[in-house]
Amino acid sequence: MNLSLSGRKIAIGSPTLDELLKDCDSFQKGDSPDSVKSDDPAHHVIDVESLHLKPVPFVLAFNNLEYDVILGRRFGFSRRSGVKTLLDDVSGEACDGDILAVLGASGAGKSTLIDALAGRVAQGSLKGSVTLNGEKVLQTRLLKVISAYVMQEDLLFPMLTVKETLMFASEFRLPRSLSKSKKMERVEALIDQLGLRNAANTVIGDEGHRGVSGGERRRVSIGIDIIHDPIVLFLDEPTSGLDSTNAFMVVQVLKRIAQSGSIVIMSIHQPSARIVELLDRLIILSRGKSVFNGSPASLPGFFADFGRPIPEKENITEFALDLVRELEGSTERTRSLVDFNEKWQQNKLSFSQSAPHTNMFELDSPLTLKEAINASVSRGKLVSGSSRGTLVSMETVSSYANPSLFETFILAKRYMKNWMRMPELVGTRIASVMVTGFLLATVYWKLDHTPRGAQERLTLFAFVVPTMFYCCLDNVPVFIQERYIFLRETTHNAYRTSSYVISHSLVSLPQLIAPSLVFSTITFWTVGLSGGLEGFYFYCLLIYASFWSGSSVVTFISGVVPNIMLSYMVAISYLAYCLLLSGFYVNRDRIPVYWTWFHYISLLKYPYEAVLINEFDDPSRCFVKGVQVFDSTLLGGVSASGKVKLLETLGNSLKTRITESTCLRTGSDLLAQQGITELSKWECLWITFASGLFFRILFYFALLFGSRNKRT
């Protein structure tokens, strides 16, 4: 099957992307091979000359874009409210093979325009149209599949190498039908394309770990989002924070990406002269209005016609931005420049309509969007949702490249690899648990079975259970730090939210085993808790369940409150309320009726009751014998003989014989005194495990509905 365009034929069977890139490189170097052979018999010969002539055209056009936001009152202190216009009648187009750069001062609307074109503005808030090859694609599933968005911040896992980072991205974005070796070929080709060969095996790094440079980090961020070879690439200030050399290298990479058949649209603050030479089209914004739209080569003529010619050897974009800033400070602002740009665009349109048609998109048989995507995929594009042997269909295109189970496995593998390379985190958690355990062991060493020993056991458990939950507060920054990575990857359907939550839960379970065993072993035997080996096993399970429940609730809070300090405040306050109403400070029958509901949903109630039942639920164990009943009372200071006489008098009054060895209170009596009579210890244990699962489900819904990465 062949597609015909302008007299040339495009073979549907195609070589791999790696071979395609090599052909492009050899062609640019001046080589002219007659054909390229592929090991895959399904791949046919490709005409290198047809590559140069762009036989698969794409045009992204946007017309009359308008976007307003309502400025509401903040905390009710300000009476001023109104509407602020971020985009005002902005139009333009971008073609495959070209880089469209959006320029302007801070607050001009550059990032807003990029977000609008990338479908990151909520439907209904944006006015105007955005089309790809004449078809509306905004807010469609297809746009997510064929496009990519690179955020301004470099959001990467610090302990993964460059190659590992790109390899995990290929696992997410490329279809599972593509073999591991083919994915590795794509990663290797991309590393060369990004100029990262020397840093391929270097970790990304962060503040505490030395890694790649800032320019290399930025190129890795770009590589993650172009791993599936998108047709449209959006970038929000990719050169921000880089020096001139690294910024130029980044734009060089983007130029090669565009020449491979993609549309590249980016915002940039103030490009150097070398970068301007790589750009194909410019849009200059001023407070949401377009003051120039054209090629960099036409910029001197534009300002010369406006009456403000650009001096020789002057950076044309710096001059333009300085002039715009000067006009913004004047009385009429940029009104005159906006009006002149509209007339200039009309004149350019009239001239282009009267000139002979040479644009490929104006041929007798232009490709529809579906045909263009099919032809592009057949030639080596690795768009998500497509496979090598099947042409992509807009009607049946898959939202995700892989099934949920595979996504969960890859997410868990990536997280564990990054986590295991930070042993200081693991060591710090275990060390803190060990210090707490040794402190409790020395304070509560070998408790006896006296009334004081029973009371000290109660205070021990009242400290142990909340401590397990408060030790989980170190999970607060974990998701908050990963939040924007999650948003970036899920915005373009790298994986499902459910896969992320499941993998996040699964990898947290083994991390809790070591702290649970260390703490349980230290405290159980040194304090002298009862139950023997069976009691120890249950105690370990309960500590583990408490860690699980605590980490789940803290993870949920960090998902709802994306601020570290606020998350800490909310988590600490919530656990404090749970402790107050758990039944230790106030028994259940003494809690006011209007707070009883909170007692039953308190996370600390069930592990606290379970550990008490495990310790005291033995009718044969006695904690108050004979004269011990007077301990901790006003009669505690009476002599031993006096206590014996008082005991005999008490027995006569009760008409029962009470001696110094008579058991007056067992462990079961202590449980009844504490109001712990409703549930068994195993029921409390399962409820504790279930509460952790419940908060993981809440975490899923918090991400599903509360992490929408769109402007409203």
Side-chain angles (χ1 to χ4, degrees):
M1 175 181 177
N2 293 318
L3 288 174
S4 178
L5 182 62
S6 186
R8 286 183 169 81
K9 293 184 178 180
I10 307 168
I12 291 302
S14 65
T16 63
L17 180 66
D18 189 19
E19 294 165 348
L20 182 61
L21 291 174
K22 290 179 181 177
D23 293 337
C24 292
D25 291 339
S26 63
F27 182 83
Q28 292 170 355
K29 292 176 182 177
D31 300 335
S32 57
D34 296 329
S35 64
V36 179
K37 295 182 179 180
S38 173
D39 295 335
D40 191 340
H43 295 161
H44 301 291
V45 175
I46 193 166
D47 186 358
V48 179
E49 184 182 359
S50 67
L51 286 175
H52 183 67
L53 295 176
K54 304 178 186 176
V56 184
F58 290 96
V59 176
L60 180 73
F62 48 98
N63 297 291
N64 310 116
L65 295 185
E66 295 184 3
Y67 177 50
D68 301 327
V69 293
I70 300 176
L71 302 177
R73 300 178 181 180
R74 188 170 181 82
F75 303 115
F77 295 118
S78 174
R79 295 183 179 181
R80 299 182 62 185
S81 62
V83 177
K84 181 178 181 180
T85 300
L86 300 183
L87 294 177
D88 187 1
D89 196 23
V90 179
S91 301
E93 70 174 23
C95 305
D96 63 293
D98 294 342
I99 297 180
L100 168 62
V102 183
L103 280 69
S106 298
K110 304 187 297 297
S111 297
T112 304
L113 178 58
I114 298 296
D115 286 347
L117 298 179
R120 292 162 62 91
V121 175
Q123 192 171 8
S125 300
L126 180 68
K127 299 178 181 178
S129 64
V130 178
T131 61
L132 184 61
N133 285 23
E135 299 183 26
K136 293 184 178 180
V137 294
L138 205 61
Q139 305 295 344
T140 64
R141 185 171 59 182
L142 179 64
L143 181 63
K144 287 187 176 183
V145 173
I146 66 173
S147 68
Y149 183 97
V150 181
M151 293 182 175
Q152 186 172 343
E153 299 83 7
D154 298 320
L155 306 168
L156 306 167
F157 283 92
M159 301 312 295
L160 298 180
T161 66
V162 170
K163 182 182 289 187
E164 289 171 343
T165 300
L166 295 177
M167 194 62 203
F168 278 119
S170 72
E171 297 281 10
F172 290 132
R173 301 305 300 270
L174 301 183
R176 194 181 180 187
S177 58
L178 207 62
S179 66
K180 187 91 170 181
S181 60
K182 293 295 183 182
K183 292 179 180 179
M184 182 59 73
E185 287 178 13
R186 169 58 180 157
V187 170
E188 293 292 345
L190 188 58
I191 287 175
D192 291 331
Q193 186 182 16
L194 296 172
L196 294 170
R197 176 56 58 189
N198 293 333
N201 296 314
T202 305
V203 296
I204 301 299
D206 57 11
E207 296 83 358
H209 304 86
R210 187 178 180 85
V212 297
S213 66
E216 291 169 335
R217 181 190 295 265
R218 184 60 50 86
R219 279 176 273 160
V220 174
S221 297
I222 295 172
I224 288 175
D225 287 303
I226 66 170
I227 191 71
H228 63 301
D229 203 16
I231 294 171
V232 187
L233 176 62
F234 303 98
L235 305 100
D236 185 12
E237 298 202 19
T239 61
S240 176
L242 301 180
D243 57 43
S244 177
T245 301
N246 278 315
F248 178 67
M249 292 176 65
V250 167
V251 180
Q252 275 187 318
V253 169
L254 297 178
K255 186 65 176 178
R256 290 197 293 268
I257 294 170
Q259 290 173 344
S260 70
S262 297
I263 300 173
V264 177
I265 304 176
M266 69 175 184
S267 60
I268 189 168
H269 187 65
Q270 199 161 359
S272 64
R274 292 193 302 170
I275 291 179
V276 173
E277 293 178 357
L278 298 175
L279 305 179
D280 300 288
R281 297 186 65 84
L282 297 177
I283 293 180
I284 301 178
L285 298 179
S286 173
R287 300 187 181 182
K289 294 180 179 292
S290 175
V291 296
F292 175 78
N293 185 352
S295 65
S298 64
L299 196 60
F302 174 83
F303 281 106
D305 294 342
F306 182 65
R308 300 292 294 270
I310 301 177
E312 292 185 8
K313 298 183 179 180
E314 180 85 11
N315 185 314
I316 58 176
T317 56
E318 288 183 2
F319 176 87
L321 293 174
D322 290 341
L323 178 59
V324 170
R325 190 177 296 108
E326 176 187 331
L327 294 175
E328 287 177 345
S330 64
T331 305
E332 296 184 359
R333 300 185 182 276
T334 56
R335 183 71 260 173
S336 59
L337 187 58
V338 172
D339 293 340
F340 177 78
N341 178 53
E342 291 178 355
K343 295 178 181 178
W344 191 75
Q345 296 292 339
Q346 292 174 357
N347 293 336
K348 186 172 67 171
L349 180 62
S350 300
F351 178 79
S352 63
Q353 290 176 346
S354 61
H357 290 175
T358 59
N359 191 304
M360 294 182 64
F361 217 56
E362 296 170 345
L363 297 173
D364 295 335
S365 302
L367 292 181
T368 65
L369 178 58
K370 180 179 178 180
E371 292 171 342
I373 294 176
N374 287 346
S376 184
V377 170
S378 71
R379 296 192 50 131
K381 282 286 185 183
L382 300 175
V383 177
S384 298
S386 67
S387 60
R388 182 57 55 94
T390 306
L391 299 182
V392 72
S393 170
M394 288 186 293
E395 292 82 5
T396 61
V397 65
S398 174
S399 295
Y400 301 94
N402 299 289
S404 179
L405 185 61
F406 184 76
E407 293 172 351
T408 302
F409 172 75
I410 296 301
L411 283 166
K413 181 181 177 182
R414 181 179 68 173
Y415 183 88
M416 289 299 292
K417 181 169 287 192
N418 183 75
W419 177 73
M420 291 176 66
R421 291 178 181 174
M422 293 188 287
E424 64 275 11
L425 297 181
V426 183
T428 300
R429 170 176 282 191
I430 294 178
S432 64
V433 169
M434 287 181 64
V435 170
T436 304
F438 280 121
L439 178 63
L440 292 174
T442 54
V443 172
Y444 294 95
W445 180 267
K446 295 299 182 182
L447 296 179
D448 54 28
H449 292 164
T450 63
R452 179 173 295 180
Q455 184 60 36
E456 289 173 347
R457 279 176 166 80
L458 293 176
T459 59
L460 168 68
F461 298 141
F463 181 85
V464 166
V465 173
T467 299
M468 297 303 98
F469 283 82
Y470 281 111
C471 283
C472 296
L473 289 176
D474 61 351
N475 285 324
V476 166
V478 172
F479 173 72
I480 293 178
Q481 293 173 352
E482 295 180 12
R483 183 184 185 89
Y484 290 103
I485 297 179
F486 167 81
L487 290 176
R488 183 199 67 205
E489 293 177 333
T490 54
T491 295
H492 286 275
N493 293 356
Y495 48 79
R496 299 165 180 81
T497 302
S498 58
S499 300
Y500 178 84
V501 173
I502 293 173
S503 68
H504 195 279
S505 303
L506 292 178
V507 297
S508 67
L509 291 173
Q511 298 178 29
L512 305 176
I513 295 176
S516 302
L517 286 175
V518 169
F519 184 84
S520 302
T521 303
I522 294 175
T523 56
F524 187 88
W525 304 110
T526 56
V527 174
L529 301 181
S530 66
L533 199 57
E534 181 182 349
F536 172 72
Y537 288 151
F538 183 85
Y539 184 69
C540 288
L541 284 175
L542 187 61
I543 296 300
Y544 182 77
S546 299
F547 272 127
W548 159 250
S549 180
S551 65
S552 297
V553 68
V554 168
T555 300
F556 164 66
I557 291 173
S558 65
V560 174
V561 185
N563 180 281
I564 292 180
M565 294 306 299
L566 290 179
S567 292
Y568 272 120
M569 292 174 60
V570 172
I572 292 173
S573 299
Y574 175 69
L575 293 177
Y577 303 150
C578 290
L579 176 61
L580 176 64
L581 297 170
S582 63
F584 171 72
Y585 292 108
V586 182
N587 286 353
R588 184 182 68 247
D589 57 350
R590 298 286 295 173
I591 296 176
V593 64
Y594 43 84
W595 285 119
T596 303
W597 63 272
F598 200 100
H599 168 76
Y600 286 100
I601 67 171
S602 170
L603 291 180
L604 277 62
K605 164 185 166 63
Y606 300 100
Y608 176 65
E609 291 188 1
V611 75
L612 287 184
I613 296 173
N614 189 55
E615 178 66 19
F616 293 113
D617 192 21
D618 185 358
S620 64
R621 296 181 64 200
C622 185
F623 289 93
V624 180
K625 289 184 179 181
V627 295
Q628 291 179 346
V629 73
F630 301 116
D631 293 350
S632 302
T633 67
L634 293 175
L635 300 176
V638 178
S639 63
S641 58
K643 290 180 180 178
V644 172
K645 292 180 180 179
L646 288 172
L647 197 61
E648 292 176 353
T649 303
L650 181 61
N652 294 332
S653 300
L654 297 175
K655 297 181 180 181
T656 184
R657 186 171 181 271
I658 302 177
T659 65
E660 294 183 52
S661 61
T662 303
C663 182
L664 299 178
R665 178 168 294 174
T666 64
S668 300
D669 297 329
L670 285 173
L671 292 177
Q673 183 184 9
Q674 295 293 320
I676 303 175
T677 57
E678 296 180 339
L679 300 171
S680 68
K681 67 178 184 180
W682 289 104
E683 290 173 332
C684 292
L685 177 65
W686 300 135
I687 292 175
T688 304
F689 271 116
S691 66
L693 179 61
F694 173 72
F695 278 102
R696 293 287 173 171
I697 296 174
L698 291 183
F699 177 55
Y700 165 73
F701 285 109
L703 297 186
L704 190 63
F705 299 109
S707 297
R708 298 187 181 276
N709 196 19
K710 287 189 177 183
R711 298 172 183 249
T712 56

